Amino acid sequence: MKEIIKLENIRRNFVVGDEVVHALRGLSFTIKEGEFVTIMGSSGSGKSTLLNILGCLDTPTSGEYYLDGVSVRTMGKNARATLRNRKIGFVFQNYNLLPKTTAIENVELPLMYNPAYNTVQRRKKSIDALIAVGLGERLNHKSNQMSGGQMQRVAIARALVNDPAVILADEATGNLDTRTSFEILVLFQKLHDEGRTIIFVTHNPEIAQYSSRNITLRDGHITSDIENEKILDAAETLAKLPVNDDY
Amino acid sequence: MNIANLFKIAVRALTNNKLRCFLTMLGIIIGVASVITMLAIGQGSKKSIQAEISEMGSNMIMIHPGGDMRGGVRQSADDMETLKLKDYESIINETRYVAAVSASVNSSGQVIYGSNNAPTTVYGISPDYMEIRRYKVQDGEMFTEQDVTTAAKVCVIGKTIVDNLFTNGENPVGKIIRFQKLPFKVIGVLESKGYNSMGMDQDDLILAPYTTVQKRVLAITHLQEIICSAIKEEYTEQAMDEITEILRRNHKLKADEEDDFTVRSQQELSNMLTNTTDMLTVLLAAVAGISLLVGGIGIMNIMYVSVTERTREIGLRMSIGAKGIDILAQFLIESILISVTGGLIGVLFGVGASLLVNYVAHFPIYIQPWSVILSFAVCTMTGVFFGWYPAKKAADLDPIEAIRYE
Ligand SMILES: Nc1ncnc2c1ncn2[C@@H]1O[C@H](COP(=O)(O)OP(=O)(O)OP(=O)(O)O)[C@@H](O)[C@H]1O
Ligand SMILES: [Mg+2]
């Protein structure tokens, strides 16, 4: 399998006043195409910092990062913006949909910044993405008329629409109740089955069981990196959940 | 991101906040509308003054007693009596470049006919006055040199006097009117000239022989004014020099003494007037321009609020691939849209207000195309200028911080 992500001794220091915070202290790993990796760790262990670097929003203080074979470290701001647009799909904890805007317009957004797509193609791809996340019936619903789970589906559709090399999710189920969390997890597993590469940051150890690999961070170090031999099926778990749970 | 998409986004953002957007626009609307209206009024009065002066005769020369007042020095009463009959006669007899000459004295007071009376001014003049000021007699006739010589109690009256005194439509010619108890026989009625650009009624006057007004009304021997016309507009300068020379000689002024009279041409007066209106126009436009500036600051303010409010949106756009320039363009287009739309509405309001001023207050107006184009251009610039800083601020945001912004 192709290596999508390759990190070599990545460090990230933040200077706060005259103190230096070592958020990442020399991380090295590779992620291959089609992996579903969960990243866990206690609060402040550096998960978000790592994800920002993987997502080309941030650059490491030192170390090399190759995304799909391209070295990101030396890239300028604009080149990274373009790289994000073509290779990365973000899913955030708080969805980050545009207010008062329909599902389809939200999903179209990444393609707006890609001149390769015209209006018709953009629309078609967005509809396909929304169908893929199960919102084919709600194309024109506005973001403020949707439930949290629906909003997160729109956000996932938005992350899919540009056919990214990797989907990055930071606490994507953090704001959702158990049942809806599992629904979203089912969706991620479906994407995984379709061969997409997913990196999923979470606090919830349970979720690790549904991924193909789990990396644990502590204090900016990797403390464990385990392949999951026995991946649980989220759809089955969802079916076993009581239907009317009050969360 | 292409321009069409940027426009869509900007329009969407603005329509999401219609009221705020309109209030911001209001500053620009008022600014542009007032610039256009002020310029229309300024240019209009300038135009009408120019038209009037060229109609009145640009070869007119006016001589007043007393030195040049423009220095602001107050004249003593004696200075005001320096123009004598002899000066008038000398100008008639000794000049080559002067065509028509008229003495002039005037007195204000109540004019009475039957039970009607009205305040007005009697001008004591020579028959040449008609030619110089381009007055025409409509009914009856003008008095003659003979009437001047005999100080005849005859007069020619303007249309307003006719309207005020002869209310039941009788023919004024041949009637006797009284001015300060003195009976005048009306021998003619002037053709109407209407109002001038300064709102003065040019038909509210009585013309009588200057001798009559001098002796019988004012009891003076000096003249208040001498007006004449140069034989041609080009010779105005020469005529003025001639007159100055004659008057200095008559008044026995030594070489180092200043003139005790003032010779001014219509040309100078018109320049002075147009200069004044120009200055007024600039002043009005400046005040209006300031309101445009205030409108611009309004845009800047609202764009700042908008950038702050939409920090998360900016962060999101950046994380999915928007470059700094895309964000900059997005906010810049928003502020330009506000200012251009405001500008367009402002132009409509400005033109409307100008027409209204013309209709209601009878102010002459003239909407110069360049004033419309200029204020519109300024207003677009305002959008760019005042939108730039907030837009730049948005573009420079750090995507990681922006997306976490609460
Ligand atoms: N911009 C920054 N400036 C200074 N320090 C920072 C910055 N971002 C992160 N840090 C520090 O880096 C360390 C790792 O932070 P990070 O946000 O990656 O943790 P996390 O694992 O995502 O925690 P959580 O689970 O609470 O989200 C923390 O000690 C944090 O204080
Ligand atoms: Mg975090």
Side-chain angles (χ1 to χ4, degrees), chain A residues 32-65:
Chain A
K32 296 198 190 67
E33 190 173 18
E35 281 194 279
F36 181 0
V37 183
T38 42
I39 296 179
M40 303 224 313
S42 54
S43 192
S45 57
K47 303 182 297 293
S48 296
T49 306
L50 174 61
L51 209 67
N52 287 338
I53 288 175
L54 292 176
C56 307
L57 286 169
D58 196 8
T59 42
T61 311
S62 69
E64 276 292 345
Y65 167 33

Short mmCIF file of all heavy atoms in Angstrom, two decimals, chain A residues 32-65:
data_model
loop_
_atom_site.label_atom_id
_atom_site.label_comp_id
_atom_site.label_asym_id
_atom_site.label_seq_id
_atom_site.Cartn_x
_atom_site.Cartn_y
_atom_site.Cartn_z
N LYS A 32 -0.47 4.41 5.91
CA LYS A 32 -0.65 3.95 4.54
C LYS A 32 -2.06 4.23 4.07
O LYS A 32 -2.97 4.46 4.86
CB LYS A 32 -0.35 2.45 4.45
CG LYS A 32 1.08 2.10 4.77
CD LYS A 32 1.40 0.71 4.23
CE LYS A 32 2.74 0.22 4.74
NZ LYS A 32 2.72 -0.02 6.21
N GLU A 33 -2.21 4.21 2.79
CA GLU A 33 -3.51 4.45 2.19
C GLU A 33 -4.51 3.43 2.72
O GLU A 33 -4.19 2.24 2.85
CB GLU A 33 -3.39 4.31 0.66
CG GLU A 33 -4.63 4.78 -0.07
CD GLU A 33 -4.42 4.79 -1.58
OE1 GLU A 33 -3.47 4.14 -2.07
OE2 GLU A 33 -5.20 5.46 -2.26
N GLY A 34 -5.71 3.91 3.06
CA GLY A 34 -6.77 3.00 3.48
C GLY A 34 -6.77 2.68 4.96
O GLY A 34 -7.60 1.92 5.44
N GLU A 35 -5.87 3.27 5.73
CA GLU A 35 -5.88 3.03 7.17
C GLU A 35 -6.91 3.92 7.86
O GLU A 35 -7.19 5.03 7.42
CB GLU A 35 -4.49 3.30 7.77
CG GLU A 35 -3.51 2.17 7.54
CD GLU A 35 -2.27 2.31 8.40
OE1 GLU A 35 -1.38 3.10 8.00
OE2 GLU A 35 -2.20 1.68 9.47
N PHE A 36 -7.45 3.40 8.95
CA PHE A 36 -8.35 4.18 9.81
C PHE A 36 -7.66 4.25 11.16
O PHE A 36 -7.69 3.31 11.94
CB PHE A 36 -9.72 3.47 9.89
CG PHE A 36 -10.75 4.17 10.73
CD1 PHE A 36 -10.49 5.38 11.39
CD2 PHE A 36 -12.03 3.63 10.86
CE1 PHE A 36 -11.45 6.01 12.15
CE2 PHE A 36 -13.00 4.26 11.62
CZ PHE A 36 -12.71 5.44 12.27
N VAL A 37 -6.99 5.39 11.41
CA VAL A 37 -6.15 5.51 12.60
C VAL A 37 -6.86 6.38 13.64
O VAL A 37 -7.31 7.48 13.31
CB VAL A 37 -4.80 6.16 12.24
CG1 VAL A 37 -3.89 6.22 13.47
CG2 VAL A 37 -4.13 5.41 11.12
N THR A 38 -6.97 5.87 14.84
CA THR A 38 -7.44 6.73 15.92
C THR A 38 -6.23 7.19 16.71
O THR A 38 -5.29 6.43 16.91
CB THR A 38 -8.41 5.99 16.88
OG1 THR A 38 -7.90 4.69 17.13
CG2 THR A 38 -9.80 5.90 16.29
N ILE A 39 -6.26 8.46 17.11
CA ILE A 39 -5.19 9.00 17.95
C ILE A 39 -5.80 9.36 19.29
O ILE A 39 -6.78 10.10 19.35
CB ILE A 39 -4.53 10.23 17.30
CG1 ILE A 39 -3.86 9.80 15.98
CG2 ILE A 39 -3.52 10.86 18.25
CD1 ILE A 39 -3.19 10.92 15.24
N MET A 40 -5.24 8.78 20.33
CA MET A 40 -5.79 9.01 21.66
C MET A 40 -4.70 9.61 22.55
O MET A 40 -3.54 9.66 22.19
CB MET A 40 -6.27 7.70 22.27
CG MET A 40 -7.30 6.99 21.42
SD MET A 40 -8.66 6.36 22.37
CE MET A 40 -7.81 5.57 23.70
N GLY A 41 -5.12 10.00 23.73
CA GLY A 41 -4.17 10.57 24.67
C GLY A 41 -4.89 11.55 25.56
O GLY A 41 -5.94 12.07 25.21
N SER A 42 -4.27 11.81 26.72
CA SER A 42 -4.94 12.70 27.66
C SER A 42 -4.90 14.13 27.14
O SER A 42 -4.17 14.44 26.19
CB SER A 42 -4.25 12.61 29.03
OG SER A 42 -2.87 12.86 28.84
N SER A 43 -5.64 14.95 27.82
CA SER A 43 -5.71 16.34 27.40
C SER A 43 -4.33 16.97 27.49
O SER A 43 -3.61 16.78 28.47
CB SER A 43 -6.70 17.08 28.30
OG SER A 43 -6.98 18.33 27.76
N GLY A 44 -3.95 17.71 26.47
CA GLY A 44 -2.65 18.38 26.47
C GLY A 44 -1.51 17.50 25.99
O GLY A 44 -0.36 17.90 26.02
N SER A 45 -1.84 16.29 25.54
CA SER A 45 -0.78 15.37 25.10
C SER A 45 -0.26 15.72 23.71
O SER A 45 0.75 15.17 23.28
CB SER A 45 -1.30 13.93 25.13
OG SER A 45 -2.45 13.82 24.33
N GLY A 46 -0.94 16.61 22.99
CA GLY A 46 -0.43 17.05 21.69
C GLY A 46 -1.23 16.54 20.49
O GLY A 46 -0.78 16.68 19.35
N LYS A 47 -2.43 15.99 20.73
CA LYS A 47 -3.22 15.41 19.64
C LYS A 47 -3.60 16.47 18.60
O LYS A 47 -3.40 16.29 17.39
CB LYS A 47 -4.51 14.77 20.18
CG LYS A 47 -4.26 13.70 21.23
CD LYS A 47 -5.55 13.07 21.70
CE LYS A 47 -6.52 14.02 22.39
NZ LYS A 47 -6.04 14.53 23.70
N SER A 48 -4.16 17.58 19.08
CA SER A 48 -4.60 18.62 18.15
C SER A 48 -3.41 19.24 17.42
O SER A 48 -3.48 19.54 16.23
CB SER A 48 -5.39 19.70 18.89
OG SER A 48 -6.56 19.15 19.42
N THR A 49 -2.33 19.42 18.17
CA THR A 49 -1.13 19.97 17.55
C THR A 49 -0.66 19.08 16.41
O THR A 49 -0.35 19.56 15.31
CB THR A 49 -0.01 20.10 18.61
OG1 THR A 49 -0.51 20.84 19.71
CG2 THR A 49 1.20 20.80 18.04
N LEU A 50 -0.67 17.78 16.67
CA LEU A 50 -0.28 16.82 15.63
C LEU A 50 -1.22 16.90 14.43
O LEU A 50 -0.79 16.94 13.28
CB LEU A 50 -0.28 15.40 16.22
CG LEU A 50 -0.03 14.27 15.23
CD1 LEU A 50 1.34 14.42 14.57
CD2 LEU A 50 -0.13 12.91 15.93
N LEU A 51 -2.52 16.96 14.73
CA LEU A 51 -3.50 16.98 13.65
C LEU A 51 -3.35 18.25 12.80
O LEU A 51 -3.49 18.21 11.57
CB LEU A 51 -4.91 16.89 14.23
CG LEU A 51 -5.92 16.23 13.30
CD1 LEU A 51 -5.57 14.76 13.11
CD2 LEU A 51 -7.32 16.38 13.83
N ASN A 52 -3.06 19.38 13.47
CA ASN A 52 -2.86 20.62 12.73
C ASN A 52 -1.67 20.51 11.78
O ASN A 52 -1.70 21.03 10.67
CB ASN A 52 -2.63 21.80 13.69
CG ASN A 52 -3.91 22.20 14.39
OD1 ASN A 52 -5.00 21.91 13.90
ND2 ASN A 52 -3.79 22.85 15.53
N ILE A 53 -0.63 19.83 12.23
CA ILE A 53 0.54 19.65 11.37
C ILE A 53 0.19 18.72 10.22
O ILE A 53 0.47 19.00 9.06
CB ILE A 53 1.74 19.14 12.18
CG1 ILE A 53 2.25 20.28 13.07
CG2 ILE A 53 2.85 18.63 11.25
CD1 ILE A 53 3.35 19.88 14.00
N LEU A 54 -0.50 17.61 10.55
CA LEU A 54 -0.90 16.67 9.49
C LEU A 54 -1.80 17.38 8.47
O LEU A 54 -1.74 17.09 7.28
CB LEU A 54 -1.65 15.48 10.10
CG LEU A 54 -0.81 14.54 10.96
CD1 LEU A 54 -1.69 13.46 11.58
CD2 LEU A 54 0.32 13.91 10.14
N GLY A 55 -2.62 18.31 8.96
CA GLY A 55 -3.54 19.02 8.08
C GLY A 55 -2.93 20.22 7.40
O GLY A 55 -3.63 21.00 6.76
N CYS A 56 -1.63 20.40 7.54
CA CYS A 56 -0.91 21.51 6.89
C CYS A 56 -1.41 22.88 7.34
O CYS A 56 -1.27 23.88 6.63
CB CYS A 56 -1.00 21.44 5.36
SG CYS A 56 -0.47 19.89 4.69
N LEU A 57 -2.05 22.93 8.50
CA LEU A 57 -2.44 24.23 9.05
C LEU A 57 -1.26 24.81 9.81
O LEU A 57 -1.15 26.01 9.99
CB LEU A 57 -3.63 24.07 10.00
CG LEU A 57 -4.99 23.80 9.36
CD1 LEU A 57 -5.99 23.41 10.43
CD2 LEU A 57 -5.48 25.01 8.60
N ASP A 58 -0.40 23.94 10.26
CA ASP A 58 0.72 24.35 11.09
C ASP A 58 1.97 23.66 10.53
O ASP A 58 1.86 22.65 9.83
CB ASP A 58 0.45 23.87 12.53
CG ASP A 58 1.35 24.57 13.54
OD1 ASP A 58 2.07 25.52 13.13
OD2 ASP A 58 1.33 24.18 14.71
N THR A 59 3.13 24.22 10.79
CA THR A 59 4.37 23.56 10.34
C THR A 59 5.19 23.17 11.56
O THR A 59 5.20 23.88 12.56
CB THR A 59 5.22 24.49 9.45
OG1 THR A 59 5.21 25.79 10.01
CG2 THR A 59 4.68 24.53 8.04
N PRO A 60 5.86 22.02 11.50
CA PRO A 60 6.65 21.58 12.65
C PRO A 60 7.86 22.48 12.87
O PRO A 60 8.35 23.11 11.94
CB PRO A 60 7.09 20.17 12.26
CG PRO A 60 6.98 20.11 10.78
CD PRO A 60 5.90 21.06 10.39
N THR A 61 8.31 22.54 14.12
CA THR A 61 9.51 23.30 14.44
C THR A 61 10.72 22.62 13.79
O THR A 61 11.60 23.27 13.25
CB THR A 61 9.71 23.38 15.97
OG1 THR A 61 8.48 23.78 16.56
CG2 THR A 61 10.80 24.35 16.33
N SER A 62 10.73 21.29 13.84
CA SER A 62 11.77 20.56 13.12
C SER A 62 11.21 19.20 12.72
O SER A 62 10.16 18.78 13.22
CB SER A 62 13.02 20.39 13.99
OG SER A 62 12.73 19.51 15.05
N GLY A 63 11.90 18.52 11.83
CA GLY A 63 11.43 17.22 11.35
C GLY A 63 10.80 17.35 9.98
O GLY A 63 10.45 18.46 9.55
N GLU A 64 10.66 16.20 9.32
CA GLU A 64 10.11 16.20 7.96
C GLU A 64 8.71 15.61 7.95
O GLU A 64 8.44 14.66 8.67
CB GLU A 64 11.01 15.37 7.03
CG GLU A 64 12.19 16.13 6.45
CD GLU A 64 11.79 17.23 5.47
OE1 GLU A 64 10.64 17.23 5.00
OE2 GLU A 64 12.64 18.10 5.18
N TYR A 65 7.86 16.20 7.14
CA TYR A 65 6.52 15.66 6.97
C TYR A 65 6.24 15.55 5.47
O TYR A 65 6.31 16.53 4.74
CB TYR A 65 5.49 16.56 7.66
CG TYR A 65 4.04 16.29 7.30
CD1 TYR A 65 3.60 14.98 7.00
CD2 TYR A 65 3.11 17.31 7.28
CE1 TYR A 65 2.28 14.74 6.68
CE2 TYR A 65 1.78 17.08 6.96
CZ TYR A 65 1.37 15.78 6.65
OH TYR A 65 0.07 15.54 6.32
#
